Short mmCIF file of all heavy atoms in Angstrom, two decimals:
data_model
loop_
_atom_site.label_atom_id
_atom_site.label_comp_id
_atom_site.label_asym_id
_atom_site.label_seq_id
_atom_site.Cartn_x
_atom_site.Cartn_y
_atom_site.Cartn_z
N MET D 1 178.70 150.23 -36.76
CA MET D 1 178.88 151.57 -37.30
C MET D 1 180.35 151.98 -37.13
O MET D 1 180.90 151.86 -36.03
CB MET D 1 177.96 152.54 -36.54
CG MET D 1 177.78 153.89 -37.16
SD MET D 1 176.55 154.87 -36.25
CE MET D 1 175.02 154.32 -37.03
N LYS D 2 180.96 152.40 -38.25
CA LYS D 2 182.37 152.80 -38.22
C LYS D 2 182.50 154.27 -38.60
O LYS D 2 181.84 154.72 -39.54
CB LYS D 2 183.20 151.94 -39.19
CG LYS D 2 183.34 150.51 -38.74
CD LYS D 2 184.18 149.74 -39.74
CE LYS D 2 184.24 148.26 -39.35
NZ LYS D 2 184.69 147.42 -40.47
N PHE D 3 183.37 154.95 -37.88
CA PHE D 3 183.54 156.40 -38.09
C PHE D 3 184.92 156.70 -38.65
O PHE D 3 185.90 156.00 -38.36
CB PHE D 3 183.31 157.15 -36.78
CG PHE D 3 181.86 157.28 -36.43
CD1 PHE D 3 181.16 156.20 -35.91
CD2 PHE D 3 181.17 158.45 -36.66
CE1 PHE D 3 179.80 156.29 -35.61
CE2 PHE D 3 179.82 158.57 -36.36
CZ PHE D 3 179.13 157.48 -35.84
N THR D 4 184.97 157.76 -39.44
CA THR D 4 186.22 158.19 -40.06
C THR D 4 186.35 159.71 -39.92
O THR D 4 185.36 160.43 -40.06
CB THR D 4 186.21 157.85 -41.57
OG1 THR D 4 185.97 156.47 -41.73
CG2 THR D 4 187.55 158.20 -42.22
N VAL D 5 187.56 160.16 -39.64
CA VAL D 5 187.86 161.60 -39.69
C VAL D 5 188.76 161.85 -40.90
O VAL D 5 189.84 161.28 -41.00
CB VAL D 5 188.57 162.08 -38.41
CG1 VAL D 5 189.00 163.54 -38.56
CG2 VAL D 5 187.66 161.93 -37.20
N ASP D 6 188.29 162.68 -41.80
CA ASP D 6 189.10 163.05 -42.96
C ASP D 6 190.19 164.01 -42.49
O ASP D 6 189.92 165.15 -42.11
CB ASP D 6 188.21 163.72 -44.01
CG ASP D 6 188.97 164.04 -45.30
OD1 ASP D 6 190.19 164.34 -45.21
OD2 ASP D 6 188.35 164.00 -46.37
N GLN D 7 191.42 163.52 -42.52
CA GLN D 7 192.54 164.30 -42.00
C GLN D 7 192.81 165.56 -42.80
O GLN D 7 193.40 166.51 -42.29
CB GLN D 7 193.81 163.43 -41.96
CG GLN D 7 193.68 162.21 -41.05
CD GLN D 7 193.52 162.61 -39.58
OE1 GLN D 7 194.39 163.23 -39.02
NE2 GLN D 7 192.38 162.25 -38.97
N ASN D 8 192.38 165.56 -44.05
CA ASN D 8 192.58 166.75 -44.88
C ASN D 8 191.56 167.84 -44.59
O ASN D 8 191.81 169.02 -44.85
CB ASN D 8 192.52 166.38 -46.37
CG ASN D 8 193.68 165.51 -46.77
OD1 ASN D 8 194.81 165.72 -46.33
ND2 ASN D 8 193.42 164.50 -47.58
N GLN D 9 190.41 167.43 -44.04
CA GLN D 9 189.35 168.40 -43.75
C GLN D 9 189.39 168.90 -42.32
O GLN D 9 188.99 170.03 -42.04
CB GLN D 9 187.98 167.78 -44.03
CG GLN D 9 187.68 167.58 -45.50
CD GLN D 9 186.24 167.13 -45.72
OE1 GLN D 9 185.72 166.29 -44.98
NE2 GLN D 9 185.60 167.69 -46.70
N CYS D 10 189.82 168.05 -41.39
CA CYS D 10 189.81 168.41 -39.96
C CYS D 10 190.68 169.65 -39.72
O CYS D 10 191.82 169.71 -40.16
CB CYS D 10 190.34 167.23 -39.14
SG CYS D 10 190.50 167.59 -37.37
N ILE D 11 190.08 170.61 -39.01
CA ILE D 11 190.83 171.82 -38.67
C ILE D 11 191.24 171.83 -37.20
O ILE D 11 191.73 172.82 -36.68
CB ILE D 11 190.00 173.09 -38.99
CG1 ILE D 11 188.66 173.07 -38.25
CG2 ILE D 11 189.81 173.25 -40.49
CD1 ILE D 11 187.88 174.38 -38.31
N GLY D 12 190.99 170.71 -36.53
CA GLY D 12 191.44 170.55 -35.15
C GLY D 12 190.68 171.38 -34.13
O GLY D 12 191.23 171.76 -33.10
N CYS D 13 189.40 171.60 -34.38
CA CYS D 13 188.64 172.45 -33.46
C CYS D 13 188.36 171.76 -32.13
O CYS D 13 188.12 172.41 -31.12
CB CYS D 13 187.33 172.90 -34.10
SG CYS D 13 186.06 171.64 -34.09
N GLY D 14 188.35 170.43 -32.13
CA GLY D 14 188.19 169.68 -30.88
C GLY D 14 186.76 169.43 -30.45
O GLY D 14 186.53 168.83 -29.40
N ALA D 15 185.79 169.86 -31.24
CA ALA D 15 184.39 169.67 -30.85
C ALA D 15 184.04 168.19 -30.71
O ALA D 15 183.32 167.79 -29.79
CB ALA D 15 183.47 170.33 -31.87
N CYS D 16 184.55 167.37 -31.60
CA CYS D 16 184.20 165.94 -31.57
C CYS D 16 184.67 165.30 -30.27
O CYS D 16 183.94 164.51 -29.65
CB CYS D 16 184.76 165.21 -32.77
SG CYS D 16 186.53 165.44 -33.04
N GLU D 17 185.86 165.64 -29.83
CA GLU D 17 186.38 165.07 -28.58
C GLU D 17 185.55 165.56 -27.39
O GLU D 17 185.30 164.81 -26.45
CB GLU D 17 187.85 165.44 -28.39
CG GLU D 17 188.46 164.76 -27.16
CD GLU D 17 189.90 165.18 -26.92
OE1 GLU D 17 190.19 166.38 -27.05
OE2 GLU D 17 190.72 164.31 -26.63
N SER D 18 185.12 166.82 -27.44
CA SER D 18 184.30 167.35 -26.36
C SER D 18 182.95 166.63 -26.28
O SER D 18 182.47 166.32 -25.19
CB SER D 18 184.04 168.84 -26.56
OG SER D 18 185.24 169.56 -26.52
N ILE D 19 182.36 166.35 -27.44
CA ILE D 19 181.04 165.73 -27.48
C ILE D 19 181.12 164.23 -27.20
O ILE D 19 180.27 163.68 -26.50
CB ILE D 19 180.39 165.98 -28.87
CG1 ILE D 19 180.13 167.47 -29.07
CG2 ILE D 19 179.10 165.18 -29.02
CD1 ILE D 19 179.77 167.85 -30.50
N CYS D 20 182.14 163.58 -27.71
CA CYS D 20 182.22 162.12 -27.62
C CYS D 20 183.66 161.65 -27.41
O CYS D 20 184.28 161.09 -28.32
CB CYS D 20 181.62 161.50 -28.89
SG CYS D 20 181.44 159.72 -28.79
N PRO D 21 184.19 161.86 -26.21
CA PRO D 21 185.60 161.54 -25.96
C PRO D 21 185.92 160.05 -25.98
O PRO D 21 187.09 159.69 -26.09
CB PRO D 21 185.85 162.14 -24.57
CG PRO D 21 184.51 162.25 -23.94
CD PRO D 21 183.54 162.48 -25.06
N ASP D 22 184.89 159.20 -25.88
CA ASP D 22 185.16 157.75 -25.95
C ASP D 22 185.55 157.32 -27.36
O ASP D 22 186.18 156.27 -27.54
CB ASP D 22 183.92 156.96 -25.53
CG ASP D 22 183.60 157.14 -24.07
OD1 ASP D 22 184.50 157.55 -23.31
OD2 ASP D 22 182.44 156.88 -23.68
N VAL D 23 185.17 158.10 -28.35
CA VAL D 23 185.39 157.71 -29.74
C VAL D 23 186.44 158.59 -30.43
O VAL D 23 187.24 158.10 -31.22
CB VAL D 23 184.06 157.75 -30.53
CG1 VAL D 23 184.29 157.46 -32.02
CG2 VAL D 23 183.07 156.75 -29.94
N PHE D 24 186.45 159.89 -30.10
CA PHE D 24 187.34 160.83 -30.80
C PHE D 24 188.37 161.40 -29.83
O PHE D 24 188.03 161.84 -28.73
CB PHE D 24 186.53 161.98 -31.42
CG PHE D 24 185.49 161.50 -32.39
CD1 PHE D 24 184.17 161.35 -32.00
CD2 PHE D 24 185.83 161.19 -33.71
CE1 PHE D 24 183.20 160.89 -32.89
CE2 PHE D 24 184.86 160.73 -34.60
CZ PHE D 24 183.54 160.58 -34.19
N LYS D 25 189.62 161.36 -30.26
CA LYS D 25 190.71 161.92 -29.45
C LYS D 25 191.57 162.82 -30.31
O LYS D 25 191.67 162.64 -31.52
CB LYS D 25 191.58 160.80 -28.89
CG LYS D 25 191.06 160.18 -27.60
CD LYS D 25 191.38 161.05 -26.39
CE LYS D 25 190.79 160.49 -25.09
NZ LYS D 25 189.43 160.91 -24.81
N MET D 26 192.23 163.78 -29.63
CA MET D 26 193.11 164.72 -30.33
C MET D 26 194.54 164.50 -29.83
O MET D 26 195.01 165.25 -28.98
CB MET D 26 192.69 166.16 -30.01
CG MET D 26 191.24 166.49 -30.33
SD MET D 26 191.04 166.94 -32.04
CE MET D 26 192.18 168.28 -32.20
N PRO D 27 195.23 163.51 -30.35
CA PRO D 27 196.61 163.28 -29.90
C PRO D 27 197.55 164.40 -30.35
O PRO D 27 198.57 164.66 -29.70
CB PRO D 27 197.00 161.95 -30.55
CG PRO D 27 196.09 161.82 -31.71
CD PRO D 27 194.82 162.56 -31.37
N ASP D 28 197.21 165.05 -31.45
CA ASP D 28 197.99 166.21 -31.89
C ASP D 28 197.00 167.25 -32.41
O ASP D 28 196.03 167.54 -31.74
CB ASP D 28 199.06 165.80 -32.91
CG ASP D 28 198.52 164.81 -33.93
OD1 ASP D 28 197.42 165.08 -34.48
OD2 ASP D 28 199.17 163.79 -34.18
N ASP D 29 197.18 167.76 -33.60
CA ASP D 29 196.30 168.83 -34.07
C ASP D 29 195.15 168.33 -34.93
O ASP D 29 194.39 169.13 -35.46
CB ASP D 29 197.11 169.89 -34.82
CG ASP D 29 197.86 169.32 -36.00
OD1 ASP D 29 198.05 168.08 -36.05
OD2 ASP D 29 198.24 170.08 -36.89
N LYS D 30 195.01 167.01 -35.06
CA LYS D 30 193.90 166.43 -35.82
C LYS D 30 193.22 165.37 -34.96
O LYS D 30 193.86 164.72 -34.13
CB LYS D 30 194.40 165.76 -37.11
CG LYS D 30 195.26 166.64 -38.00
CD LYS D 30 194.43 167.47 -38.93
CE LYS D 30 195.36 168.29 -39.82
NZ LYS D 30 194.67 169.02 -40.84
N ALA D 31 191.92 165.19 -35.20
CA ALA D 31 191.17 164.18 -34.45
C ALA D 31 191.43 162.78 -35.02
O ALA D 31 191.60 162.61 -36.23
CB ALA D 31 189.69 164.49 -34.50
N GLN D 32 191.45 161.80 -34.10
CA GLN D 32 191.56 160.40 -34.48
C GLN D 32 190.37 159.65 -33.92
O GLN D 32 189.86 160.00 -32.86
CB GLN D 32 192.85 159.78 -33.90
CG GLN D 32 194.13 160.50 -34.27
CD GLN D 32 194.55 160.24 -35.70
OE1 GLN D 32 194.17 159.25 -36.31
NE2 GLN D 32 195.35 161.15 -36.24
N VAL D 33 189.96 158.60 -34.62
CA VAL D 33 188.93 157.70 -34.10
C VAL D 33 189.65 156.62 -33.31
O VAL D 33 190.51 155.92 -33.85
CB VAL D 33 188.10 157.10 -35.24
CG1 VAL D 33 187.04 156.15 -34.67
CG2 VAL D 33 187.45 158.20 -36.06
N ILE D 34 189.31 156.49 -32.02
CA ILE D 34 190.02 155.54 -31.17
C ILE D 34 189.20 154.29 -30.86
O ILE D 34 189.69 153.38 -30.20
CB ILE D 34 190.47 156.20 -29.86
CG1 ILE D 34 189.29 156.77 -29.09
CG2 ILE D 34 191.53 157.27 -30.13
CD1 ILE D 34 189.62 157.09 -27.64
N LEU D 35 187.95 154.26 -31.33
CA LEU D 35 187.09 153.11 -31.04
C LEU D 35 186.27 152.80 -32.28
O LEU D 35 185.34 153.52 -32.61
CB LEU D 35 186.18 153.46 -29.86
CG LEU D 35 185.31 152.37 -29.24
CD1 LEU D 35 186.18 151.26 -28.67
CD2 LEU D 35 184.42 152.96 -28.16
N ASN D 36 186.67 151.74 -33.00
CA ASN D 36 186.00 151.39 -34.24
C ASN D 36 185.92 149.88 -34.38
O ASN D 36 186.95 149.22 -34.23
CB ASN D 36 186.78 151.95 -35.44
CG ASN D 36 185.98 152.95 -36.24
OD1 ASN D 36 184.77 153.02 -36.16
ND2 ASN D 36 186.69 153.71 -37.06
N PRO D 37 184.79 149.26 -34.65
CA PRO D 37 183.50 149.92 -34.78
C PRO D 37 183.01 150.50 -33.45
O PRO D 37 183.43 150.04 -32.39
CB PRO D 37 182.57 148.80 -35.27
CG PRO D 37 183.22 147.54 -34.85
CD PRO D 37 184.71 147.80 -34.84
N VAL D 38 182.15 151.49 -33.55
CA VAL D 38 181.63 152.17 -32.36
C VAL D 38 180.47 151.35 -31.78
O VAL D 38 179.52 151.03 -32.49
CB VAL D 38 181.15 153.59 -32.72
CG1 VAL D 38 180.46 154.25 -31.54
CG2 VAL D 38 182.33 154.43 -33.19
N PRO D 39 180.57 150.96 -30.49
CA PRO D 39 179.49 150.18 -29.89
C PRO D 39 178.17 150.95 -29.88
O PRO D 39 178.16 152.19 -29.87
CB PRO D 39 179.98 149.89 -28.47
CG PRO D 39 181.18 150.72 -28.25
CD PRO D 39 181.66 151.24 -29.56
N GLU D 40 177.08 150.19 -29.87
CA GLU D 40 175.76 150.79 -30.04
C GLU D 40 175.49 151.91 -29.03
O GLU D 40 174.91 152.94 -29.37
CB GLU D 40 174.70 149.70 -29.92
CG GLU D 40 173.45 150.02 -30.69
CD GLU D 40 172.59 148.78 -30.90
OE1 GLU D 40 173.13 147.75 -31.35
OE2 GLU D 40 171.38 148.86 -30.60
N ASN D 41 175.93 151.71 -27.80
CA ASN D 41 175.60 152.72 -26.77
C ASN D 41 176.41 154.01 -26.92
O ASN D 41 176.10 155.00 -26.25
CB ASN D 41 175.77 152.12 -25.36
CG ASN D 41 177.20 151.76 -25.03
OD1 ASN D 41 178.07 151.76 -25.91
ND2 ASN D 41 177.47 151.45 -23.78
N ARG D 42 177.43 154.02 -27.76
CA ARG D 42 178.18 155.24 -28.02
C ARG D 42 177.80 155.89 -29.34
O ARG D 42 178.27 156.98 -29.66
CB ARG D 42 179.70 154.98 -28.04
CG ARG D 42 180.28 154.24 -26.85
CD ARG D 42 179.87 154.78 -25.49
NE ARG D 42 180.09 156.19 -25.33
CZ ARG D 42 179.29 157.00 -24.64
NH1 ARG D 42 178.22 156.51 -24.05
NH2 ARG D 42 179.55 158.27 -24.55
N GLN D 43 176.99 155.20 -30.12
CA GLN D 43 176.67 155.71 -31.46
C GLN D 43 175.91 157.05 -31.44
O GLN D 43 176.21 157.91 -32.27
CB GLN D 43 175.89 154.65 -32.25
CG GLN D 43 176.79 153.49 -32.67
CD GLN D 43 176.03 152.36 -33.35
OE1 GLN D 43 174.85 152.47 -33.66
NE2 GLN D 43 176.74 151.25 -33.56
N PRO D 44 174.95 157.25 -30.52
CA PRO D 44 174.27 158.56 -30.52
C PRO D 44 175.23 159.73 -30.33
O PRO D 44 175.13 160.75 -31.03
CB PRO D 44 173.27 158.44 -29.36
CG PRO D 44 172.99 156.97 -29.28
CD PRO D 44 174.30 156.31 -29.58
N ASP D 45 176.18 159.57 -29.40
CA ASP D 45 177.15 160.65 -29.17
C ASP D 45 178.09 160.81 -30.37
O ASP D 45 178.46 161.93 -30.73
CB ASP D 45 177.98 160.37 -27.92
CG ASP D 45 177.23 160.70 -26.64
OD1 ASP D 45 176.11 161.25 -26.73
OD2 ASP D 45 177.77 160.41 -25.56
N ALA D 46 178.48 159.69 -30.97
CA ALA D 46 179.37 159.77 -32.13
C ALA D 46 178.66 160.46 -33.30
O ALA D 46 179.27 161.27 -34.01
CB ALA D 46 179.84 158.37 -32.53
N LEU D 47 177.37 160.17 -33.46
CA LEU D 47 176.60 160.85 -34.52
C LEU D 47 176.44 162.33 -34.21
O LEU D 47 176.48 163.18 -35.12
CB LEU D 47 175.24 160.18 -34.69
CG LEU D 47 175.26 158.80 -35.34
CD1 LEU D 47 173.91 158.12 -35.20
CD2 LEU D 47 175.67 158.87 -36.80
N ALA D 48 176.28 162.66 -32.92
CA ALA D 48 176.19 164.07 -32.53
C ALA D 48 177.51 164.79 -32.84
O ALA D 48 177.52 165.94 -33.28
CB ALA D 48 175.85 164.19 -31.06
N ALA D 49 178.62 164.10 -32.62
CA ALA D 49 179.93 164.68 -32.95
C ALA D 49 180.05 164.90 -34.45
O ALA D 49 180.56 165.93 -34.90
CB ALA D 49 181.05 163.77 -32.44
N GLU D 50 179.57 163.92 -35.22
CA GLU D 50 179.60 164.07 -36.68
C GLU D 50 178.79 165.30 -37.09
O GLU D 50 179.26 166.12 -37.90
CB GLU D 50 179.05 162.81 -37.35
CG GLU D 50 179.03 162.90 -38.86
CD GLU D 50 178.53 161.63 -39.52
OE1 GLU D 50 178.67 160.54 -38.95
OE2 GLU D 50 177.99 161.74 -40.64
N ASP D 51 177.60 165.44 -36.52
CA ASP D 51 176.75 166.59 -36.84
C ASP D 51 177.40 167.90 -36.39
O ASP D 51 177.20 168.95 -37.01
CB ASP D 51 175.39 166.47 -36.15
CG ASP D 51 174.46 165.52 -36.88
OD1 ASP D 51 174.78 165.19 -38.04
OD2 ASP D 51 173.44 165.13 -36.30
N GLY D 52 178.17 167.84 -35.29
CA GLY D 52 178.73 169.04 -34.70
C GLY D 52 180.04 169.50 -35.31
O GLY D 52 180.50 170.60 -35.01
N CYS D 53 180.63 168.68 -36.16
CA CYS D 53 181.90 169.08 -36.77
C CYS D 53 181.65 170.24 -37.73
O CYS D 53 180.86 170.11 -38.67
CB CYS D 53 182.54 167.91 -37.51
SG CYS D 53 184.07 168.38 -38.34
N PRO D 54 182.32 171.37 -37.51
CA PRO D 54 182.03 172.56 -38.31
C PRO D 54 182.43 172.45 -39.77
O PRO D 54 181.94 173.23 -40.60
CB PRO D 54 182.84 173.67 -37.61
CG PRO D 54 183.94 172.95 -36.92
CD PRO D 54 183.37 171.62 -36.49
N VAL D 55 183.31 171.51 -40.09
CA VAL D 55 183.74 171.40 -41.49
C VAL D 55 183.31 170.08 -42.13
O VAL D 55 183.72 169.76 -43.24
CB VAL D 55 185.28 171.57 -41.61
CG1 VAL D 55 185.68 172.98 -41.22
CG2 VAL D 55 186.02 170.53 -40.76
N GLY D 56 182.49 169.31 -41.43
CA GLY D 56 181.99 168.06 -42.01
C GLY D 56 183.06 167.02 -42.27
O GLY D 56 182.97 166.25 -43.23
N ALA D 57 184.07 166.99 -41.37
CA ALA D 57 185.18 166.06 -41.60
C ALA D 57 184.88 164.63 -41.16
O ALA D 57 185.62 163.71 -41.49
CB ALA D 57 186.42 166.57 -40.85
N ILE D 58 183.79 164.46 -40.40
CA ILE D 58 183.47 163.14 -39.85
C ILE D 58 182.40 162.47 -40.70
O ILE D 58 181.41 163.12 -41.07
CB ILE D 58 183.00 163.26 -38.39
CG1 ILE D 58 184.07 163.95 -37.54
CG2 ILE D 58 182.65 161.89 -37.81
CD1 ILE D 58 183.62 164.28 -36.12
N SER D 59 182.61 161.20 -40.97
CA SER D 59 181.59 160.42 -41.70
C SER D 59 181.53 159.05 -41.05
O SER D 59 182.37 158.67 -40.25
CB SER D 59 181.94 160.32 -43.18
OG SER D 59 183.21 159.71 -43.35
N HIS D 60 180.47 158.29 -41.42
CA HIS D 60 180.35 156.94 -40.87
C HIS D 60 179.73 156.01 -41.90
O HIS D 60 179.09 156.45 -42.85
CB HIS D 60 179.51 156.95 -39.58
CG HIS D 60 178.05 157.18 -39.80
ND1 HIS D 60 177.49 158.43 -39.90
CD2 HIS D 60 177.03 156.30 -39.99
CE1 HIS D 60 176.19 158.32 -40.11
NE2 HIS D 60 175.88 157.04 -40.17
N THR D 61 179.95 154.72 -41.67
CA THR D 61 179.27 153.68 -42.44
C THR D 61 178.52 152.80 -41.46
O THR D 61 178.86 152.73 -40.27
CB THR D 61 180.27 152.82 -43.24
OG1 THR D 61 181.22 152.25 -42.33
CG2 THR D 61 181.02 153.67 -44.25
N ASN D 62 177.50 152.14 -41.95
CA ASN D 62 176.64 151.35 -41.07
C ASN D 62 177.06 149.89 -40.96
O ASN D 62 176.30 149.07 -40.50
CB ASN D 62 175.18 151.44 -41.54
CG ASN D 62 174.59 152.80 -41.23
OD1 ASN D 62 174.81 153.36 -40.17
ND2 ASN D 62 173.83 153.35 -42.17
N ASP D 63 178.26 149.56 -41.38
CA ASP D 63 178.71 148.16 -41.26
C ASP D 63 179.33 147.91 -39.89
O ASP D 63 179.52 148.81 -39.09
CB ASP D 63 179.71 147.83 -42.36
CG ASP D 63 180.90 148.79 -42.38
OD1 ASP D 63 180.92 149.75 -41.59
OD2 ASP D 63 181.78 148.57 -43.22
FE1 F3S S 101 188.32 167.97 -36.53
FE2 F3S S 101 185.77 168.24 -36.83
FE3 F3S S 101 186.73 167.03 -34.74
S1 F3S S 101 187.29 169.74 -37.31
S2 F3S S 101 188.66 168.05 -34.37
S3 F3S S 101 186.89 166.34 -36.82
S4 F3S S 101 184.94 168.34 -34.78
#
């Protein structure tokens, strides 16, 4: 499973990093994915971060 943050949509709210800091980091004002593909044991939290993004900037593929 691979995750992407759309840099044009991200408003830098930081929710993804709070929910799943192993996968999402905020080096500046936008979130970055720091672990791709996401290992199975981190996928539930990464999916929760995707669900929790207020602007829907996070997406994933199942490859
Ligand atoms: Fe950006 Fe959404 Fe994370 S707005 S900081 S990708 S929760």
Side-chain angles (χ1 to χ4, degrees):
M1 194 175 274
K2 291 181 184 163
F3 283 77
T4 304
V5 174
D6 185 327
Q7 298 295 299
N8 293 320
Q9 289 188 317
C10 175
I11 57 170
C13 78
C16 53
E17 185 183 43
S18 298
I19 295 168
C20 188
D22 293 341
V23 175
F24 302 97
K25 276 281 177 272
M26 303 276 304
D28 42 48
D29 59 341
K30 307 274 182 174
Q32 304 285 338
V33 180
I34 58 164
L35 188 62
N36 243 342
V38 174
E40 208 163 310
N41 65 349
R42 308 311 308 145
Q43 288 175 8
D45 281 355
L47 288 168
E50 179 178 333
D51 281 346
C53 177
V55 294
I58 302 172
S59 59
H60 72 274
T61 57
N62 287 319
D63 54 357

